């Protein structure tokens, strides 16, 4: 075999090298997060609420319509940009990170991919202009086994009537537009599942209990009650009985966003640990002078870099129209573990101060935990990866 005919390829950009406009985008969000979010993080966590004024500022900033085409009032940017926004925000507050993430990577993405021209016209400008989106798949009895959902949709003339309860819905408290998965034919199993666009004001729709959580406390997580909720036939998203595809393909993308949220948490915790260990003195020197501490920080930096590479690669694959199922599952699995480990290390390095709320690291630790649970638990990610690995 000869390699004589090989030509030097045009080198693709290094994965973590951002284009000029990606850099500018990231930096402007970081600056926004420092000035507009950081001063309120503790209060938002304690009150378990993101103020509407902050949500409005996020819309003004342009991070709530990243991929929406310009004709509907969006930035017409890439999925990768959305991922950068989630990372930059989550370095400061992972609750704001997930609010932006669910709106962009779940709700808007599903509409962009599955929405008819009419649906896009009706909903994309709404979602770009101040209405928050949510995505409602889970129920009390169906989490990992998502297609065991029981919310029922029955056709009634020009409408469907939806009856059931959704649980754990992020943005439930603030959202105006909900993508709701229900079954039009329980006997058909997953082939009966259909996606509907439900507005907060639709008759028969109410938001129920808001959960009191360990982490991402300011992000609302709510029950949704659908009691004969009337949804126009025109609000079916995708085809009848094809909701399982809407649900799964949307979540595959969403997982990359959660990966970005976890990288943001890990980076935020690492930055805090580096700053603190340079300041804190014991035995007459900064604790960062001890090689034991240096090695712990170095190990954490390696893990964050690896997690970021995986997230960016998955996002770039998605934007390039390449398969990314395995990479999305891997990046969520890995980055959520890294976030927990790095946040835990940061707490250790803060000593007693790491355990109290006057310092930021205990919150990073609490916020990191959710990464291994939502949008598919770690076991579900392992299941996806193993399935691809063992496929004939
Ligand atoms: C804060 C928060 C926000 C959320 N936001 C949303 C949202 O916006 N929209 C939405 O639809 N849902 C949302 N969820 C729901 C979330 O996606 C589910 O909680 C998650 O998918 C797990 O489902 P479950 O809680 O029913 O756990 P279960 O499915 O009951 O899992 C319990 C345990 O069993 C394991 N397990 C289950 N099946 C298997 C198996 N086959 N093999 C190996 N292990 C298995 C799991 O890995 C897990 O460790 C949210 C949840 C939380 C906590």
């Amino acid at each position: 075999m000869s390699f004589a005919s090989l030509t030097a390829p045009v080198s693709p950009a290094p994965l973590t090298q951002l284009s000029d406009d990606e850099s500018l985008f990231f930096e402007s969000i970081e600056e926004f997060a420092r000035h507009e979010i950081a001063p309120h993080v503790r209060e938002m966590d304690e009150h378990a609420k993101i103020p509407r004024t902050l949500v409005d500022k996020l819309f003004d900033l342009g991070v709530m319509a990243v991929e929406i085409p310009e004709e509907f009032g969006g930035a017409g940017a890439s999925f990768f940009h959305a991922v950068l926004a989630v990372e930059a925000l989550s370095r400061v507050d992972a609750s704001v990170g997930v609010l932006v993430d669910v709106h962009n990577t779940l709700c808007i993405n599903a509409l962009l991919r599955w929405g008819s021209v009419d649906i896009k016209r009706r909903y994309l400008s709404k979602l770009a202009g101040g209405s928050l989106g949510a995505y409602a798949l889970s129920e009390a009895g169906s989490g990992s086994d998502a297609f065991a959902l029981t919310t029922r949709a029955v056709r009634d003339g020009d409408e469907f009537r939806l009856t059931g309860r959704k649980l754990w819905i992020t943005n439930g408290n603030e959202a105006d537009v909900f993508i709701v998965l229900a079954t039009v034919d329980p006997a058909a199993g997953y082939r009966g599942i259909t996606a509907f666009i439900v507005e907060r004001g639709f008759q028969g729709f109410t938001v129920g209990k808001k959960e009191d959580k360990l982490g991402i406390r300011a992000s609302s997580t709510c029950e949704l009650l659908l009691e004969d909720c009337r949804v126009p036939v025109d609000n079916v998203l995708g085809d009848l009985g094809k909701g399982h595809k809407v649900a799964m393909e949307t979540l595959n993308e969403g997982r990359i966003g959660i990966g970005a949220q976890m990288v943001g948490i890990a980076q935020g915790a690492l930055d805090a640990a580096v700053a603190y260990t340079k300041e804190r003195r014991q035995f007459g020197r900064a604790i960062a002078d001890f090689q034991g501490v240096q090695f712990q920080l170095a190990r954490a930096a390696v893990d964050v870099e690896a997690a970021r590479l995986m997230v960016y690669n998955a996002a770039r694959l998605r934007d390039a129209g390449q398969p990314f199922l395995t990479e999305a599952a891997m990046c969520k699995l890995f980055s959520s573990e890294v976030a927990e480990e790095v946040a835990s290390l940061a707490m250790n390095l803060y000593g007693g101060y790491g355990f109290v709320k006057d310092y930021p690291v205990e919150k990073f630790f609490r916020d990191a935990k959710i990464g291994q649970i939502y949008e598919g638990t770690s076991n579900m990610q392992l299941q996806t990866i193993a399935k691809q690995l063992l496929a004939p």
Side-chain angles (χ1 to χ4, degrees), residues 157-365:
D158 289 343
E159 295 175 333
F160 276 92
R161 289 173 179 248
L162 269 58
T163 301
R165 283 171 176 235
K166 292 291 175 184
L167 203 60
W168 312 118
I169 307 310
T170 300
N171 294 350
N173 209 32
E174 306 85 3
D176 304 291
V177 177
F178 298 79
I179 294 176
V180 175
L181 281 301
T183 178
V184 293
D185 182 4
Y190 75 89
R191 289 197 186 87
I193 294 172
T194 303
F196 297 87
I197 303 167
V198 178
E199 294 186 33
R200 178 178 286 268
F202 283 0
Q203 195 181 325
F205 177 86
T206 43
V207 176
K209 181 182 167 234
K210 180 171 155 235
E211 305 295 339
D212 187 6
K213 308 194 297 293
L214 169 79
I216 55 162
R217 288 180 48 76
S219 158
S220 67
T221 309
C222 302
E223 189 180 20
L224 308 182
L225 313 175
L226 299 131
E227 292 166 67
D228 244 353
C229 173
R230 289 154 178 253
V231 182
V233 169
D234 290 344
N235 277 24
V236 170
L237 180 63
D239 294 329
L240 277 183
K242 290 284 164 56
H244 60 284
K245 274 177 83 76
V246 177
M248 283 304 119
E249 291 187 16
T250 306
L251 279 175
N252 287 339
E253 294 178 349
R255 277 170 196 145
I256 307 174
I258 299 304
Q261 183 198 28
M262 292 296 126
V263 169
I265 290 175
Q267 187 67 60
L270 180 59
D271 290 348
V274 167
Y276 183 79
T277 54
K278 287 205 262 186
E279 267 176 28
R280 172 70 174 170
R281 296 180 73 79
Q282 289 291 280
F283 301 97
R285 37 209 295 221
I287 56 173
D289 287 344
F290 297 115
Q291 195 180 53
V293 170
Q294 290 172 5
F295 283 7
Q296 287 176 298
L297 290 169
R299 175 71 61 191
V302 172
D303 287 342
V304 176
E305 176 76 356
R308 180 175 293 112
L309 281 164
M310 291 175 80
V311 169
Y312 284 12
N313 186 48
R316 297 255 197 231
L317 282 171
R318 186 274 187 196
D319 277 338
Q322 303 286 329
F324 62 88
L325 172 70
T326 308
E327 289 79 3
M330 285 179 170
C331 83
K332 178 182 179 283
L333 177 87
F334 185 69
S335 59
S336 58
E337 289 173 359
V338 166
E340 185 180 320
E341 281 160 21
V342 175
S344 175
L345 171 68
M347 280 175 69
N348 291 346
L349 292 175
Y350 267 70
Y353 299 106
F355 205 63
V356 296
K357 289 181 188 281
D358 292 340
Y359 294 88
V361 286
E362 61 84 34
K363 178 172 176 297
F364 283 124
F365 184 70

Side-chain angles (χ1 to χ4, degrees), residues 8-258:
V10 181
S11 297
L15 265 186
T16 51
Q17 182 185 318
L18 303 183
S19 68
D20 287 349
D21 98 304
E22 288 166 350
S23 286
L24 198 67
F25 181 75
F26 191 81
E27 282 160 20
S28 59
I29 298 168
E30 266 194 314
E31 194 185 321
F32 173 89
R34 259 195 314 275
H35 291 112
E36 302 287 347
I37 303 177
H40 310 292
V41 167
R42 185 160 175 202
E43 187 189 342
M44 292 195 300
D45 185 59
E46 278 175 8
H47 295 160
K49 191 166 171 54
I50 298 176
R52 181 67 217 189
T53 47
L54 177 55
V55 177
D56 289 340
K57 285 180 185 172
L58 291 164
F59 275 97
D60 293 342
L61 181 66
V63 292
M64 301 305 276
V66 178
E67 285 182 273
I68 292 182
E70 289 176 38
E71 59 177 309
F72 299 116
S78 65
F79 179 76
F80 189 77
H81 282 95
V83 161
L84 287 178
V86 175
E87 181 192 341
L89 294 167
S90 302
R91 283 187 188 195
V92 173
D93 187 68
S95 290
V96 177
V98 75
L99 177 133
V100 170
D101 177 65
V102 166
H103 179 82
N104 281 287
T105 75
L106 294 185
C107 185
I108 289 171
N109 247 316
L111 297 182
L112 284 171
R113 181 189 289 238
W114 301 96
S116 61
V117 174
D118 169 60
I119 282 179
K120 286 183 181 160
R121 188 184 46 74
R122 284 190 288 134
Y123 284 104
L124 290 180
S125 15
K126 220 177 163 62
L127 289 162
S131 296
L132 190 65
Y135 175 88
L137 173 64
S138 304
E139 298 178 3
S142 63
S144 301
D145 187 10
F147 297 153
L149 61 82
T150 59
T151 296
R152 185 84 167 91
V154 179
R155 178 94 188 232
D156 180 12
D158 289 343
E159 295 175 333
F160 276 92
R161 289 173 179 248
L162 269 58
T163 301
R165 283 171 176 235
K166 292 291 175 184
L167 203 60
W168 312 118
I169 307 310
T170 300
N171 294 350
N173 209 32
E174 306 85 3
D176 304 291
V177 177
F178 298 79
I179 294 176
V180 175
L181 281 301
T183 178
V184 293
D185 182 4
Y190 75 89
R191 289 197 186 87
I193 294 172
T194 303
F196 297 87
I197 303 167
V198 178
E199 294 186 33
R200 178 178 286 268
F202 283 0
Q203 195 181 325
F205 177 86
T206 43
V207 176
K209 181 182 167 234
K210 180 171 155 235
E211 305 295 339
D212 187 6
K213 308 194 297 293
L214 169 79
I216 55 162
R217 288 180 48 76
S219 158
S220 67
T221 309
C222 302
E223 189 180 20
L224 308 182
L225 313 175
L226 299 131
E227 292 166 67
D228 244 353
C229 173
R230 289 154 178 253
V231 182
V233 169
D234 290 344
N235 277 24
V236 170
L237 180 63
D239 294 329
L240 277 183
K242 290 284 164 56
H244 60 284
K245 274 177 83 76
V246 177
M248 283 304 119
E249 291 187 16
T250 306
L251 279 175
N252 287 339
E253 294 178 349
R255 277 170 196 145
I256 307 174
I258 299 304

